[in-house]
Amino acid sequence: MRHWPFPIAVMGLATGLCAQAPVLQDGATALRQAQRTWTTGEEPLPPLALPSLEVGLGGAGSEGRYVPLVGGEGLGQAVQGWGLGLQGRYVSGGWSVAATALVLRDGGMTRGHLLRAAIAYQWESGWRLALEQQPLAWGSGFDGGDLLGDAARPFPRLSWSTPEASLPFGRCQAEAFAGRLEADRPIPDWISDREARLAAQARGLDLRRPWLYGGMIRAAFGPVLEASLGSVRMEGGEDSAGRAAPASSARTWSLAEVKVRIPALARFAGARGAAIHLSRSAAPDSRALTLTPARTLGGFQLVWDRWDFGLEYAGAAPSNHPGTFTQPAYLAGTSTFGDSLGTAFGREVITRTVELGMPLFLEGQGRLRGVRGTSASPLAPGFWFLQGEAQWRTPTGRVGASLASRRDEVPGSSARWGWTFTLFQSFRVF
């Protein structure tokens, strides 16, 4: 059961661990490490209380077909170019401040990006309140959370969480947030009926700047079982003429999930931990809170000292999208800057994922992820996806890189390729 302050822990865990994601993607790294820690049944490491500051050199880019960088926090798609990075944190009493900022040169223009930031206060009782822009993974999917994931660029929000409360058979904790998405959200490449949505967007039917808020309750029952219930709603905003969005445009996404540790399997495999996760989620074209039409996901993970291995299957959610749009709608769906806010490839894709974390030479750490994606529609192309990550600590800091490639199988034509990458060298100042 996670019970440490999220904004502090994201920065503290990532700095103190042998990370399994490239430099300056430490928020997503901390989320993946939290999943690994839960599998082994260990207590999360306490956040570091010392101030820190890192500067970095590097860049991110993409080319060809849409390729999400899983755990990339928008790098490669929403954030591209070559330049400088600055990452630091400061903790005093219950207060914590953390930020990661990038200044990148892309296409003859220099752009500044606040990739990640948080101002938080944690009371001694355990209550926490934060204004943050951090990765937020709700759900245990390997390709990012099934309800909210870490492939997209984080969005700004106000969040709060409760201390743990005792139950007759365990303990529980709740968290919630409220934020707002950008005004001009591009229609994602991965979304269904994209051409119809683009046509509707050209007619001014796309709603902008919607509010996004949600809540999650997690309950632990004994040392091996955790259950979660969560919901996210998108509503409000305005159309291209500045008129307020109608109440009927609200959309709700929901999730029910269980995670189970399997100590017997871990002992049989000589591993430190083994666990399975199962979930059902739904995203109806209405404000109804329901688990239909459902998307089902299941997987398991084995964790050794420096190795880990996982398999996962995610079914496609039935599509209720109409073929034409006559009223203002959220044509970009649950996305930000064109990247999916939930599962990285969209909900209407069947995915089979294999993950392998491994040690590398010179005490480095690497990760490989392979995904086979298919669609319930015979007209939609299947694809193969491969992502590799590596990172090493140096006497002065860290160096790391990630590269993802996707090959779409288009019926009746040649295969279409795309790739995305990030590369950074980080130096510790203190």
Side-chain angles (χ1 to χ4, degrees), residues 10-308:
V10 163
M11 300 301 293
L13 274 174
T15 304
L17 293 168
C18 183
Q20 293 181 345
V23 180
L24 298 184
Q25 292 166 239
D26 291 335
T29 301
L31 293 174
R32 302 287 76 75
Q33 180 63 31
Q35 289 186 357
R36 176 186 169 99
T37 299
W38 192 92
T39 299
T40 61
E42 301 170 344
E43 286 294 318
L45 292 175
L48 298 180
L50 297 176
S52 71
L53 180 64
E54 285 183 294
V55 295
L57 304 170
S62 64
E63 189 65 46
R65 300 289 292 175
Y66 169 76
V67 183
L69 193 62
V70 179
E73 304 178 46
L75 290 172
Q77 295 289 333
V79 181
Q80 300 190 68
W82 295 90
L84 303 174
L86 185 68
Q87 177 170 272
R89 74 172 186 278
Y90 179 77
V91 180
S92 178
W95 287 97
S96 66
V97 179
T100 299
L102 305 178
V103 178
L104 302 180
R105 185 74 174 174
D106 177 30
M109 297 183 63
T110 300
R111 295 181 173 89
H113 305 276
L114 185 61
L115 185 66
R116 193 164 58 246
I119 302 175
Y121 186 79
Q122 172 99 11
W123 283 266
E124 292 184 1
S125 62
W127 287 88
R128 188 196 116 256
L129 179 67
L131 180 63
E132 61 186 3
Q133 181 171 298
Q134 302 272 16
L136 181 63
W138 281 8
S140 298
F142 291 162
D143 297 332
D146 205 47
L147 193 59
L148 289 173
D150 57 15
R153 184 176 175 182
F155 59 94
R157 59 188 179 268
L158 180 69
S159 66
W160 57 96
S161 66
T162 70
E164 285 190 341
S166 297
L167 296 173
F169 302 101
R171 60 192 189 277
C172 72
Q173 186 178 31
E175 58 181 302
F177 74 88
R180 200 167 195 178
L181 302 183
E182 67 269 23
D184 299 312
R185 297 186 297 147
I187 305 296
D189 291 340
W190 47 264
I191 208 163
S192 65
D193 55 19
R194 186 169 187 265
E195 295 303 321
R197 291 168 180 262
L198 287 172
Q201 187 181 58
R203 299 197 304 270
L205 297 179
D206 194 14
L207 295 174
R208 305 177 301 174
R209 295 180 59 81
W211 290 97
L212 192 73
Y213 56 88
M216 176 78 79
I217 297 176
R218 295 182 175 89
F221 303 94
V224 298
L225 175 64
E226 181 177 297
S228 302
L229 290 174
S231 177
V232 173
R233 175 171 291 184
M234 182 168 62
E235 64 181 10
E238 58 188 25
D239 62 18
S240 58
R243 295 185 294 265
S248 59
S249 65
R251 298 291 182 265
T252 299
W253 297 268
S254 52
L255 171 75
E257 179 183 78
V258 294
K259 298 192 295 185
V260 182
R261 296 189 186 100
I262 312 176
L265 178 59
R267 290 192 297 270
F268 176 79
R272 291 171 53 193
I276 61 172
H277 57 271
L278 302 168
S279 70
R280 287 177 69 86
S281 59
D285 285 333
S286 69
R287 62 193 308 161
L289 183 60
T290 177
L291 285 175
T292 57
R295 165 182 159 92
T296 303
L297 180 147
F300 85 94
Q301 185 178 39
L302 285 167
V303 175
W304 293 268
D305 286 334
R306 295 193 66 189
W307 292 81
D308 62 84

Side-chain angles (χ1 to χ4, degrees), residues 378-394:
L379 300 179
F383 66 86
W384 293 90
F385 172 87
L386 181 65
Q387 180 169 325
E389 306 168 359
Q391 185 173 159
W392 291 266
R393 292 195 174 274
T394 68

Side-chain angles (χ1 to χ4, degrees), residues 312-328:
E312 183 180 81
Y313 174 86
S319 174
N320 289 333
H321 298 307
T324 60
F325 298 89
T326 59
Q327 300 293 327

